[in-house]
Amino acid sequence: PQLGHSFSFPRCQIPEGPKTSKKRSELQPKTPPPSAPSLFLPPARHRHRRRSVDLVSSPSSLCSSRARTSVIVIMIRGGRNYVSSPPVFSNDSKRLLVCAGNSVAVFSTDTGLQVASLDGHGALVTAVIVVPATSPGSKILCFCWTASLDGTIRYWDFAVPELIRTVDIKLPVHSMVIPSLFNKPVQTREKAVKVFAYISVEVKDASEDKSKVLFQVRKCNLTDARLVGGAVLAETKKPEIITMSSCGELFGVRRKHKLDIWKVPSTDSGHAVLKKITLHHTKAITVMAFHPTQRILAAGDVTGRIMIWTGFGDKTFAMADGHVNESSMIMDEENPGVRDSDDAESCTTWHWHPAQVNLLSFSSDGAYLLSGGKEGVLVVWQVDTGKKKFLPRIGSPLLHFTDSPDPSISSISCADNQIHLVKRPSMEIMKSISGIKLPYSDPEISKVMSSGASFDQNAGLVALRTESYAVQLYSLFDDRGISEVQVYERNHQPVDEVTIVVTSVVLSPDGSILCTSEVRLPEEGMGNLICLKFWSSKSKVGDFSLSTIVYEPHRDAVISAIAFHPIRRMAVSSSFGGDFKIWISNNGVPMKEESQANSGWICHAAGSYKKKPMTAAAFSPDGSVLAVAAETVITLWDPDKNLLLAVIGEAITPIVTLSFVGNSDHLVSASWGLKPQLAVWSLLNLSICWSYRLHVEAIASSPNSSSFAALILLSESAGVYDSNEKSDKTVDGLILLFDSAEPNPVAVWSVKKARGGALAFIRNQFSDQENASDQQQAAQTLLAYMNADHEYVLFDPYGKESDELNVIRWRSENRIEEAGNFGYASLYGELLSPIPSRKQTPWTVPSFPSERPWETIFSGPSHNLPPLTLLCGPFLEALLEKRTTVVQ
């Protein structure tokens, strides 16, 4: 189909991946590296690109499966970080290469859309370097080098795209520069010149502590595909970024308060000795940049200051080249701003940024220096005079600035996972490449928020909170941002403390309504103002406008859950204050009917149960029943009449999640606390069917079946599975797929970054494709997993048999309950049977004729009275009026 490719294989066989041309097959190794667990389904190309996010490993071999002759499998991966490393432009400036997870995404600078992808690395790609054009005619050449944490350096033709060569150094590469590509042609008339790269690698310490890790700056011979022996330039305690000058003559790294700078020899070789100088500063240095033509170096620190060193290395590097400048050998009495005996003429300090500097870049002619930081303002400094001008309101902290061969276009990478293409010199934003919004960076704020993701199952959209008080609508199938809803109008102010937090984001089942809740944190004794907002969409998907604002919907109590009616314009909000409220719009008309202009939401009903905190809420699939968790008790209500229908027995710990399971008569709940619990309840007899003592992070129910999936944390659910292979320390969660009627899971997958993750069943947009035969059936729904970093994967949970993949073994002894009591016994327990005395003498209750028999029945000392179980019968009989039956 136009939106992606699908692959068919029998369920009894393990797929080997899609069959492609010879050149294309070289992009993907036959076996993944051992550090990257393979996904259990082959990746599918989506709009001529594949997404590689290492999220899920193989399913359990002990899990049952559903019989299917042949199945069309589609896997889509996305949600990658576009700003982990600086991007780079192609030689013609028509494409932008971006490090995106385990691959390199190629975007068009004209449209801002992805046009290709370089797939093959088994871990995070940390650097991409485009081979520069040596002549105007060679601008059409599209070759690049990439480095990755999988220990390989690869050479690509990104116009095809095609993998040409792989250099395996077996050490994770955190940064890389290749000076020889920029200071001279790779080949001369005499002989080929070898290409050397300088890389920052991770190595294990050779001392007794084998778990200790060091980071080294080393030299690599890319021509011979090997590291240069003994060429360790520096050792650091953490991975440092290597910065190179535009001409390839100099490169350097940061080491806390120091800068180490090396000069590349004119003829580089494996035995060449590099001269080094060190510059010192009083604060930790965060970023550095070289002037393109002069011996000028700029560096930013954590306090927001910018240091400008001029004439650095004139003595050391001149002696290394054999060109001694007599004026440079004259020792000046004072070098302004230069500390100790640093080799520099002067050091000037500029200070405007209130927080640390993240971005420094000289213009191509060296006349201007651009700087940026946490405040989200790009500052343009005039190098000669120090004068400055600003580009404000970019809206997010700045990370990288990249110039292109075309002087009229540049790119700005921001911390909100956006890359802006700007027009020079006006600095106008022309296009924006919007990746998925990253989670909140402050862990304390994340604790007060509910799940940060809400899914539109039909359209394949997800709504995510952002740190800029907005909600992003992101397409899971297209892997791009659709729109943003500004929940609270406020400019980006990173210096101020966070005073407003969007705590909940929920989409209606049809995606036409968005509901958000926000909390204004206490400030100078005032605060804790809670707002509930309803947003309605217009004709365009994801285009929401504010419909209704409700201030303090539950007095000063925080909203614990929000749920929408599956069919009608009705919603429920519950609070920790002990009540829930049902909201309606247009008298609760069906979702599909067009609403009236400017229609608002009003409170239809309110309810509570024994003044207990209401911690979770959910509607049944047909909307006839509303389930609200009153701490550890599940209450069932009629949402129209606001009547309490039934009460289901208590859970072990407070319930945080409720979900009705598709077309079954089961309700699933998740509890947190010292004794977490995953429980499935029967709505027919109001009893617990089975449960596990597991910490559940998220639950998703299939809309058209009796299946549901649960995301659990291994750290708080110890001993839930066995593995035949060595355990991966990065795996911290499991996805369990259940049929609600059976306690044994249908399938189990291990996942990474599970804490803060989300699950959802999404309607497969490829299920109606015309090229599927009668025996081939595309899955109607796909299971979506989004981890804590908002990377996601969509796959068919019933895609294939996994009898040969003995990765996960489920341990059924973790099940703590298979069946439970129902009715009266589920609430108060079974009545105790009377215990006869040793003489087997039954208790006798005296009966006295009296108008008020209870006065005599319950008279006497408490230790002499019979058990209440025996008193109940005579007491009820005494209350009944005896009548004489007359037979005619």
Side-chain angles (χ1 to χ4, degrees), residues 89-96 106-111 115:
F89 285 91
S90 60
N91 292 319
D92 57 3
S93 301
K94 293 183 178 180
R95 278 164 285 189
L96 183 68
V106 183
F107 290 89
S108 169
T109 57
D110 294 331
T111 63
V115 296

Side-chain angles (χ1 to χ4, degrees), residues 289 306 353 357 359-363 368-372 378-381 383 401 403 410 412 424 427:
I306 299 174
H353 298 279
V357 182
L359 178 157
L360 281 178
S361 177
F362 283 95
S363 60
Y368 298 95
L369 174 67
L370 290 81
S371 65
L378 185 67
V379 185
V380 182
W381 304 80
V383 175
F401 186 90
D403 272 321
S410 301
I412 303 175
R424 303 288 298 274
M427 304 303 292

Side-chain angles (χ1 to χ4, degrees), residues 625 634-637 644-650 660 665-667 680-689 819-828:
V625 178
I634 302 176
T635 60
L636 303 180
W637 301 76
L644 180 62
L645 303 177
V647 178
I648 304 181
E650 292 193 53
F660 286 86
D665 56 352
H666 293 103
L667 176 68
V680 174
W681 308 82
S682 173
L683 298 177
L684 296 180
N685 52 20
L686 304 180
S687 66
I688 187 171
C689 298
N821 300 317
F822 56 90
Y824 180 92
S826 66
L827 292 177
Y828 305 104

Side-chain angles (χ1 to χ4, degrees), residues 178-190:
I178 309 177
S180 58
L181 295 179
F182 299 88
N183 56 15
K184 64 183 65 176
V186 176
Q187 289 187 349
T188 63
R189 293 182 179 180
E190 298 178 358

Side-chain angles (χ1 to χ4, degrees), residues 236-238 240 253-259 279 281-286 300-302:
T236 59
K237 294 183 179 180
K238 63 178 183 178
E240 298 291 353
V253 296
R254 300 172 283 110
R255 286 193 301 122
K256 293 185 178 180
H257 308 85
K258 303 177 183 179
L259 289 176
L279 301 177
H281 184 50
T282 57
K283 302 295 182 180
I285 299 174
T286 56
D301 66 8
V302 293

Side-chain angles (χ1 to χ4, degrees), residues 157 212 269 421 429 472 567 570 605 723 860:
D157 181 356
K212 188 176 180 181
S269 64
L421 300 176
I429 296 178
Q472 182 193 33
I567 304 174
M570 178 183 290
S723 177

